[in-house]
Coordinates of all heavy atoms in Angstrom, one line a residue:
G1393 N -22.5 9.6 -1.1 CA -23.6 10.5 -1.2 C -24.3 10.9 0.1 O -25.4 11.3 0.2
I1394 N -23.5 10.8 1.3 CA -24.1 11.0 2.6 C -24.6 12.4 2.7 O -25.6 12.7 3.4 CB -23.1 10.7 3.7 CG1 -23.7 10.7 5.1 CG2 -21.9 11.6 3.6 CD1 -24.8 9.7 5.3
R1395 N -23.9 13.4 2.1 CA -24.3 14.8 2.3 C -25.6 15.1 1.6 O -26.3 16.0 2.0 CB -23.2 15.7 1.7 CG -21.8 15.5 2.5 CD -20.8 16.6 2.0 NE -19.5 16.3 2.5 CZ -19.1 16.6 3.7 NH1 -19.9 17.2 4.6 NH2 -17.9 16.3 4.1
E1396 N -25.9 14.3 0.5 CA -27.1 14.5 -0.2 C -28.3 13.7 0.5 O -29.4 14.1 0.5 CB -27.0 14.0 -1.6 CG -26.1 14.9 -2.5 CD -24.7 14.7 -2.2 OE1 -24.3 13.5 -1.8 OE2 -23.9 15.6 -2.4
R1397 N -27.9 12.6 1.2 CA -29.0 11.7 1.8 C -29.5 12.3 3.1 O -30.6 12.2 3.4 CB -28.4 10.3 2.0 CG -28.1 9.5 0.8 CD -28.1 8.0 1.1 NE -27.3 7.7 2.2 CZ -26.0 7.3 2.1 NH1 -25.4 7.3 1.0 NH2 -25.3 7.0 3.2
V1398 N -28.5 12.8 3.9 CA -28.9 13.3 5.3 C -29.7 14.6 5.2 O -29.3 15.5 4.5 CB -27.7 13.4 6.1 CG1 -28.0 14.0 7.5 CG2 -27.0 12.1 6.3
R1399 N -30.8 14.6 5.9 CA -31.7 15.8 5.9 C -31.6 16.4 7.3 O -32.0 15.8 8.3 CB -33.1 15.5 5.6 CG -33.3 14.9 4.2 CD -33.1 16.0 3.2 NE -33.2 15.6 1.8 CZ -32.2 15.2 1.0 NH1 -31.0 15.3 1.5 NH2 -32.4 14.8 -0.2
L1400 N -31.0 17.6 7.4 CA -30.8 18.3 8.7 C -31.3 19.7 8.7 O -31.4 20.3 7.6 CB -29.3 18.2 9.1 CG -28.7 16.9 9.3 CD1 -27.2 17.0 9.5 CD2 -29.3 16.1 10.5
R1401 N -31.5 20.3 9.8 CA -31.8 21.7 9.9 C -30.6 22.5 9.5 O -29.5 22.0 9.6 CB -32.3 22.1 11.3 CG -33.6 21.4 11.7 CD -34.1 22.0 13.0 NE -33.2 21.9 14.1 CZ -33.0 20.8 14.9 NH1 -33.8 19.8 14.7 NH2 -32.1 20.8 15.8
K1402 N -30.8 23.8 9.2 CA -29.7 24.6 8.7 C -28.5 24.7 9.6 O -27.4 24.6 9.2 CB -30.2 26.0 8.3 CG -29.2 26.8 7.6 CD -29.8 28.1 7.1 CE -28.7 29.0 6.4 NZ -29.3 30.2 5.8
P1403 N -28.7 24.9 11.0 CA -27.6 25.0 11.9 C -26.8 23.7 11.9 O -25.6 23.7 12.1 CB -28.2 25.3 13.2 CG -29.5 25.9 12.9 CD -30.0 25.2 11.7
Q1404 N -27.5 22.5 11.7 CA -26.8 21.3 11.8 C -26.0 21.0 10.5 O -25.0 20.3 10.5 CB -27.8 20.1 12.0 CG -28.4 20.1 13.4 CD -29.5 19.1 13.5 OE1 -30.4 19.0 12.6 NE2 -29.4 18.2 14.5

Side-chain angles (χ1 to χ4, degrees):
I1394 189 65
R1395 299 187 191 278
E1396 292 75 28
R1397 293 201 310 267
V1398 174
R1399 296 291 180 264
L1400 298 172
R1401 296 190 304 273
K1402 187 173 182 179
Q1404 293 175 306

